[in-house]
Amino acid sequence: MAPRLLLSMPLHAITEVYGEEGLRERFALELESFPAEERKQLVEALDLASALHADDRRVREPYLNHLLRVAIRIIRYYGVRDPDVLTAALLHDAVEDHPAELGGGAPDESYTQLTEAALVELARRFNPRVAELVRSVTNPDYDPERDRHEQYREHVAESLERDPWARVIKISDFTDNGVGVIHTSIDKAYRSATKYRPLVPKLRELVGRPDTPLSTQAKEHILDQLDLAEERFAAILDD
C-alpha cells in the first residue's frame, strides 16, 4: 500500500479496498509525527482494543475497523492530536462491550459494578482522564421498562453537556455510524437511522458551542457531515 495513496483515501474507501490492514497502516502513518511517548500510549491503546474486540464484528467487518476510523477521523479531519482523547476514542466501546474482560470482574456482578471496575483499570493502565472520557461515552444500565433509544439519546445529551472533549469522540463515532449507514445491511441501516436521526439536532447544537474544543474549520466539516447523515437517514426512513 502506497503511503501517499492511503493518506488521500476516504476512510470507508480504505475499509472497502484494504480492510483492517489498510486502516492499521493509515493509523500508523498518522502517528508518525507524534512524539515517541504519545505514540507508545496510542499503540498500547490499539493493542488493548484489538485484544478486547478480537471476536467482535460489525455486520461485514471486524469491529476494530470502526474504532480505527473513529480515531483517524479525529486526527485527520478534526485536527486533534491529544493522546488522551485518541486513546479514549480507540477504547470508547471497551467498557460498554467488555467490562468483565477489562476490569476482571466476576460474572455475578452487576453491569454497574463491572463498568466501574473496568474504568478503574483504564485509569491504571493509562490515566484518570482517559477513564473519564470513556465513562462519558459509555452507556449506563438502561431501565428495561423504558425505550432504549430514548434513554440512549438522553444519556448522550447529558454526558456531552458536561464534557466538551467527549463530544469530539462521540461526534466521530456518530459520523462513522450515521454517514457510514450506507455501508451496512438494510436491516442494520434502518435500525441505526431510527436510533440516531433524532440526535442530529442536539449534536449540531453541541458542535456549535464555543466550549467545544475544535477549530472553526473542523466544526464546519462536522456540520456538513451531520447534514449528510440526516439526508441518508431520511432516505432510509421516509421512502
Side-chain angles (χ1 to χ4, degrees), residues 73 78 170-180 222 225-226:
R73 184 177 295 106
Y78 300 176
K170 176 52 69 175
I171 288 164
S172 184
D173 177 43
F174 182 90
T175 298
D176 207 63
N177 291 320
V179 177
I222 290 167
Q225 292 290 288
L226 291 176

Side-chain angles (χ1 to χ4, degrees), residues 3-10 26 77:
R4 287 182 62 188
L5 177 61
L6 272 184
L7 286 169
S8 70
M9 291 176 69
R26 171 66 181 266
Y77 298 109

